Amino acid sequence: MGDFDRYARLTARLDAPYAVIDLAAFRRNADDLVRRAAGTPIRIASKSVRCRPLIMAALERPGFHGVMSYALPEALWLARNGVDDILLGYPTTHRGALRELSEDPVAASRITLMIDSPEHLGYIRAAATGPARLQVCLDVDASLRVFGQHLGVRRSPLRTPAEVATLARTVAGDDRFELAGVMFYEAQIAGLPDTSPAVRWVKRRSAAELADRRGAVVDAVKQVAPLRIVNSGGTGSLEISSADPVVTEVTAGSGLYGPTLFDKYDVFQPEAAMVYALDVVRRPAPGIATLFGGGYVASGPAKKSRLPLPAWPAGLKLLGTEGAGEVQTPVRGQSADRLKIGDKVWMRYAKAGEMLERFDILYAIDGAEVSELKTYRGEGKNFG
């Protein structure tokens, strides 16, 4: 857990709410990701960072190479600001950005688009009116299907080697495009905490099934065209993905910050490098303190795991009847009675960089030094 006494002392002049990144913890988390990837390059998931100085700081560290962007306007911005290898993690329908990409040969050489159907290819062809040849990657469904159930996220319709090879031939046969790679995101492994024997069984079963199918898909596509990228994994599955010899790179981002969704994994435990501070504004009853604002609820299924958690002082909990609110967040616990009006309570977010859509500035603590880093929002960038 973070050194909250030091954070509080170094940021005492600031008015809450504000967010802090502990750079030493950030670096230790980065080193641990590299250790877990065991020599496989790590592509940084920008949606989990959303702070350009920290993206660049991670890219300067051995073991990291390239960015996985979540929006094409974001990818264009990064390509023009020092990032030379960007894989778009999701298909895009942004016509203006596609036209802009096709008119910029330097950006086109740095950015790889994601598709999973011939319809995507047709859409891009119609929107990208410039002369640049565009690189594309094929998104392959990495979910587990067992006992009639789909376990994983709903992403690509591509699943079998034959289906992926068919789309690969369509791409390879079009002079406007270059086939750069294939991607597999096993959310049911990477994003699922180890909370029960059933979850661990699903992860083992999924890893074995995907290893076989991923190899067959890659072999089938290589019969069509050479591949520069075979991307897989996430923060929660680096060991599994990097162990597959066909995988050329893995993706991670959340592990740099250590949000609460990664608190219950068996094989790793990132440090809580990013936290935010809220002011105590009320003492409505014994054992309860009310904080101003702070209801930063993470995306995903609407359940308790998406709520922020009080991290310091120790022993505080949200009230089940109120949770984390837009203008007030009550917390309960024995330490609440020691809190005074104006004291700070430090909170952790459930996910990672998404939280920074709330803050223009991230206060970076490095030893006894505090500096200001602009977030995407602070740079005036809103990519959705």
Side-chain angles (χ1 to χ4, degrees):
M1 193 58 70
D3 185 355
F4 292 104
D5 285 323
R6 180 166 56 97
Y7 302 165
R9 185 176 67 256
L10 291 173
T11 62
R13 64 181 179 80
L14 300 176
D15 288 319
Y18 56 86
V20 160
I21 182 77
D22 184 327
L23 291 181
F26 176 88
R27 291 190 289 263
R28 288 192 294 268
N29 284 340
D31 290 344
D32 194 54
L33 291 172
V34 171
R35 176 191 63 79
R36 294 173 56 217
T40 302
I42 300 172
R43 187 177 290 274
I44 300 168
S46 65
K47 77 176 183 66
S48 299
V49 182
R50 300 195 200 202
C51 176
R52 189 162 56 94
L54 290 178
I55 291 173
M56 302 309 292
L59 286 175
E60 291 173 359
R61 301 184 70 80
F64 291 88
H65 179 78
V67 169
M68 178 177 283
S69 172
Y70 63 92
L72 183 54
E74 177 208 19
L76 286 164
W77 177 64
L78 291 173
R80 291 162 181 163
N81 285 277
V83 183
D84 61 6
D85 183 355
I86 304 166
L87 175 63
L88 198 62
Y90 310 87
T92 183
T93 55
H94 198 298
R95 289 170 295 185
L98 284 167
R99 181 172 60 253
E100 192 176 340
L101 177 67
S102 69
E103 293 171 351
D104 185 338
V106 174
S109 71
R110 296 179 174 182
I111 296 171
T112 300
L113 300 172
M114 190 66 65
I115 68 169
D116 62 32
S117 69
E119 288 79 9
H120 282 149
L121 208 62
Y123 187 99
I124 294 168
R125 189 186 303 107
T129 54
R133 194 175 188 218
L134 303 182
Q135 303 175 86
V136 297
C137 181
L138 309 184
D139 190 353
V140 183
D141 176 34
S143 64
L144 175 65
R145 298 180 184 178
V146 62
F147 305 134
Q149 300 295 313
H150 177 106
L151 302 178
V153 292
R154 296 285 184 175
R155 288 176 69 109
S156 171
L158 299 174
R159 184 171 180 86
T160 68
E163 291 169 342
V164 184
T166 296
L167 183 55
R169 282 191 288 272
T170 301
V171 174
D174 191 323
D175 290 340
R176 290 291 314 280
F177 300 100
E178 175 188 347
L179 181 62
V182 291
M183 183 184 78
F184 306 79
Y185 175 53
E186 60 275 22
Q188 71 282 2
I189 303 175
L192 206 58
D194 297 301
T195 54
S196 70
V199 167
R200 295 180 182 93
W201 180 87
V202 165
K203 288 187 171 188
R204 290 193 300 270
R205 178 72 176 267
S206 184
E209 185 277 334
L210 182 57
D212 289 341
R213 183 160 54 87
R214 183 166 48 207
V217 167
V218 170
D219 285 345
V221 175
K222 283 184 175 179
Q223 302 304 311
V224 177
L227 293 177
R228 176 171 58 86
I229 297 170
V230 178
N231 179 282
S232 194
T235 288
S237 61
L238 289 190
E239 295 90 350
I240 293 169
S241 296
S242 62
D244 189 338
V246 306
V247 171
T248 65
E249 62 179 42
V250 290
T251 299
S254 298
L256 293 168
Y257 288 170
T260 65
L261 283 178
F262 290 95
D263 283 352
K264 295 181 179 179
Y265 280 72
D266 288 342
V267 296
F268 75 104
Q269 181 69 67
E271 296 185 44
M274 187 168 69
V275 292
Y276 63 97
L278 301 177
D279 278 333
V280 175
V281 292
R282 285 177 173 165
R283 290 300 319 280
I288 297 177
T290 301
L291 316 178
F292 181 74
Y296 309 149
V297 179
S299 62
K303 56 184 182 180
K304 186 177 179 180
S305 65
R306 261 51 188 182
L307 294 176
L309 292 180
W312 187 85
L316 296 175
K317 296 182 179 180
L318 300 177
L319 274 63
T321 53
E322 293 197 47
E326 179 184 9
V327 292
Q328 73 167 39
T329 297
V331 293
R332 180 192 300 275
Q334 187 174 359
S335 57
D337 285 329
R338 296 192 293 273
L339 292 170
K340 303 183 297 295
I341 300 298
D343 282 351
K344 300 290 189 293
V345 171
W346 294 85
M347 308 286 290
R348 293 177 62 207
Y349 193 64
K351 297 183 77 173
E354 182 181 280
M355 179 190 115
L356 296 185
E357 294 302 320
R358 302 280 186 166
F359 298 98
D360 292 343
I361 297 296
L362 187 54
Y363 291 94
I365 292 178
D366 200 0
E369 301 296 321
V370 181
S371 59
E372 296 183 6
L373 304 179
K374 287 186 178 180
T375 65
Y376 276 18
R377 175 174 138 158
E379 293 202 64
K381 302 301 178 181
N382 178 12
F383 301 115

